[in-house]
Amino acid sequence: MHADWPFNQNHQARIQAPYPDIVVNLVTMWMLTEFSEENGATCVVPQSHLWGKSPSSCEPDQREVAALGQPGDLLVWHGALWHRSGANTTRNHHRMGANIAYIPQYVHRPPAGWPNISRALYERFPADLQQILEGSVAE
């Protein structure tokens, strides 16, 4: 169980506590396969983003619920919401999703080791895409 920004200490935050009472980290999970309890659907603890703290344990929380869905469904949550991957108890049914977070550049820097875009490739992009990716260019 964990929360993303602002409670994940692995991120290099540019904004320090007290944190603003607005959404500055929006997380999405595009379901590419079925999300079921058996194949490890993402589990969330409803309302936990309002508690102002990170979970004290990596263990499952008794208040959590599985986010079930079909391919093409979209799960959207506040970055401070407590969540985890469920356990896949099947032998041959994988759960796959595309996890994309929307975090303004002024909020945090990507963790060390995240891939960057080469300057040569960046310069071939249209201006509006360059603006979005300007913090992801390898120096």
Side-chain angles (χ1 to χ4, degrees), residues 21 30 33 36 44 49 56 60 67-68 70 87 104-105 114 137:
D21 191 22
W30 292 89
T33 61
S36 68
V44 300
H49 65 290
S56 59
L68 309 179
Q70 297 299 314
Q105 216 177 352
W114 278 29
V137 180

Side-chain angles (χ1 to χ4, degrees), residues 117 121-122 124-135 137:
I117 300 164
L121 180 59
Y122 171 82
R124 293 178 18 209
F125 291 150
D128 55 348
L129 184 55
Q130 286 181 347
Q131 183 178 8
I132 294 169
L133 298 173
E134 66 186 350
V137 180

Side-chain angles (χ1 to χ4, degrees), residues 49-125:
H49 65 290
L50 302 172
W51 301 340
K53 62 180 183 175
S54 60
S56 59
S57 169
C58 291
E59 298 299 317
D61 186 287
Q62 62 182 339
R63 299 163 289 192
E64 75 182 36
V65 295
L68 309 179
Q70 297 299 314
D73 287 350
L74 173 64
L75 175 62
V76 179
W77 69 90
H78 188 293
L81 187 75
W82 299 4
H83 60 282
R84 70 175 181 90
S85 296
N88 187 341
T89 59
T90 70
R91 291 186 180 264
N92 58 358
H93 290 87
H94 299 287
R95 173 190 62 91
M96 295 180 67
N99 185 223
I100 303 169
Y102 298 91
I103 309 167
Q105 216 177 352
Y106 64 83
V107 173
H108 93 69
R109 295 178 286 278
W114 278 29
N116 286 316
I117 300 164
S118 72
R119 172 75 51 197
L121 180 59
Y122 171 82
E123 290 174 357
R124 293 178 18 209
F125 291 150

Side-chain angles (χ1 to χ4, degrees), residues 15-31:
I15 298 176
Q16 302 298 319
Y19 302 112
D21 191 22
I22 59 172
V23 179
V24 291
N25 180 9
L26 184 68
V27 184
T28 65
M29 176 67 75
W30 292 89
M31 298 177 190

